[in-house]
Amino acid sequence: MRKKITAGLAVLAVAALSACTAAPAAVSTQTLTGLGSESIRVGIAYDSAGRGDKSFNDAAGTGLDRARKELLVEATEVTAKAETDEGRAESLRELAQGGNNPVIAVGFLYAGAVGTVAKEFPDTLFAIIDDSSVEAKNVVSLLFSEEQGSYLVGVAAALASKNGRVGFVGGVDVPLINKFEAGYAAGARSVDPGIRVEARYLSSPPDFSGFGSPDKGRAAAERLLADGADVVYAAAGGSGSGVFEAVAAEPGAWAIGVDSDQYAGASGAVKPRILTSMLKRVDNGVFQEIQAFVKGDRSGGVKRYDLEVDGVGYATSNAALRPYRARLEAARYRILGGSVKVPTTP
């Protein structure tokens, strides 16, 4: 059952300021003890950008690395053979044929492939991140409340903006990324109802190149900045690096990252200009799904990671965010308490 957040939480203690970024509660290291001679081999298929994107894929990889260390599992990592359902199915099939179980698909673009390959390997558990369209006993969907984390960074954007105008760059114009935009705009307007929020998307289906085109990201951010935006939130995967470059070239502007703490992974002129990042704890989702499998949970279904279970949040590694922390925490408690219902559509 969900915890009830009492009205007393509205009075923030200083100690509460670190709550959103505190490490998840310690989890006992799980070994293969009790599972007989079974050896757990995990397969993971990344989307087109693969590991090294400092965003979505890297977050999934971090969860896998933790499972290797703490759960003593073996792992095989691949990237889609081709940017088609057939290419993605080939990657999943290769993992399943190699004896990997569970097999984790990183991203909603794997939905068609998971639906196909899960039927071919009914004794293999498939997990897919960001999609719940495949209903099968051996498919589990890992979903996140991106709109909640985006609301919080929207609050930060409005507080940091001097122009009363902020921007949003979405990788691809699909419902998943629309959730980021909706939460961001709602959070910004909760601070300043008159703030202008302008959104630009880099591509639309069936063109999914917007998740891996830094040049498009930079061009979109440059247009937003030229129009007066002084804070730009990028929910565009690998294209976000281009957004950061554009912001770094604009005096007084701020960027907001996504998925991972992108300030922590940045360098040079870009690093100090990343105010915060919306943390989408894909690492927790991947690790916890592997952990559940090790414990014997082999069932399909839907698992959701929201603000209450630390599934989303915001990064605090840049000291420039410090003046806004109390307001961000107040917003977080309003969401947890139910007084704020964050929209999922713009």
Side-chain angles (χ1 to χ4, degrees):
M1 295 181 61
R2 291 182 174 270
K3 298 177 290 183
K4 292 186 178 180
I5 310 299
T6 66
L9 288 176
V11 181
L12 299 176
V14 173
L17 293 179
S18 61
C20 69
T21 53
V27 180
S28 299
T29 299
Q30 299 295 318
T31 66
L32 301 182
T33 302
L35 293 178
S37 61
E38 181 182 19
S39 177
I40 305 297
R41 298 179 59 184
V42 180
I44 188 166
Y46 299 110
D47 73 8
S48 58
R51 287 196 75 161
D53 66 348
K54 299 181 180 179
S55 183
F56 187 61
N57 289 289
D58 278 1
T62 296
L64 181 66
D65 291 343
R66 182 183 170 197
R68 279 191 177 110
K69 180 180 179 180
E70 297 185 22
L71 307 180
L72 308 181
V73 301
E74 299 178 35
T76 303
E77 303 171 71
V78 301
T79 301
K81 299 289 185 183
E83 286 302 290
T84 62
D85 280 349
E86 292 76 14
R88 296 183 186 95
E90 184 180 350
S91 296
L92 297 178
R93 193 174 290 116
E94 177 183 288
L95 290 170
Q97 288 174 336
N100 294 286
N101 190 13
V103 172
I104 301 171
V106 183
F108 68 90
L109 290 176
Y110 274 97
V114 167
T116 297
V117 182
K119 293 177 182 177
E120 300 172 6
F121 296 89
D123 295 327
T124 297
L125 180 67
F126 292 83
I128 181 168
I129 298 170
D130 288 344
D131 180 82
S132 60
S133 66
V134 183
E135 297 182 5
K137 292 182 179 179
N138 63 328
V139 175
V140 58
S141 299
L142 308 181
L143 306 181
F144 294 80
S145 296
E146 297 91 353
E147 72 281 0
Q148 294 181 346
S150 295
Y151 183 98
L152 298 179
V153 299
V155 169
L159 292 171
S161 177
K162 300 296 189 293
N163 297 346
R165 186 165 185 167
V166 298
F168 172 84
V169 175
V172 181
D173 192 357
V174 292
L176 173 65
I177 306 303
N178 295 159
K179 289 170 65 181
F180 290 80
E181 179 194 348
Y184 178 65
R189 289 171 181 146
S190 73
V191 174
D192 177 5
I195 197 168
R196 297 183 65 182
V197 183
E198 183 177 353
R200 290 184 178 271
Y201 286 86
L202 306 182
S203 67
S204 298
D207 177 7
F208 290 91
S209 64
F211 288 131
S213 302
D215 55 335
K216 292 182 179 179
R218 178 163 188 156
E222 287 174 342
R223 289 193 295 272
L224 290 169
L225 294 165
D227 288 342
D230 56 358
V231 184
V232 181
Y233 175 30
S239 299
S241 62
V243 173
F244 300 155
E245 290 171 1
V247 169
E250 183 69 22
W254 290 107
I256 294 177
V258 76
D259 297 332
S260 302
D261 181 354
Q262 296 190 304
Y263 171 88
S267 60
V270 165
K271 186 179 181 74
R273 309 298 289 281
I274 301 176
L275 179 64
T276 184
S277 297
M278 194 287 280
L279 299 179
K280 180 175 176 178
R281 300 304 302 271
V282 176
D283 56 332
N284 285 351
V286 168
F287 175 81
Q288 290 173 21
E289 183 55 34
I290 297 170
Q291 183 183 56
F293 188 93
V294 170
K295 288 181 175 179
D297 180 0
R298 313 293 168 88
S299 60
V302 175
K303 298 179 181 179
R304 180 170 292 279
Y305 296 84
D306 60 10
L307 197 59
E308 186 173 359
V309 298
D310 216 13
V312 293
Y314 64 93
T316 61
S317 50
N318 190 342
L321 187 72
R322 193 171 298 152
Y324 314 128
R325 289 284 303 280
R327 295 284 296 275
L328 287 166
E329 282 299 288
R332 188 169 75 91
Y333 279 119
R334 286 195 294 273
I335 295 172
L336 288 171
S339 63
V340 169
K341 301 293 185 183
V342 184
T344 57
T345 56

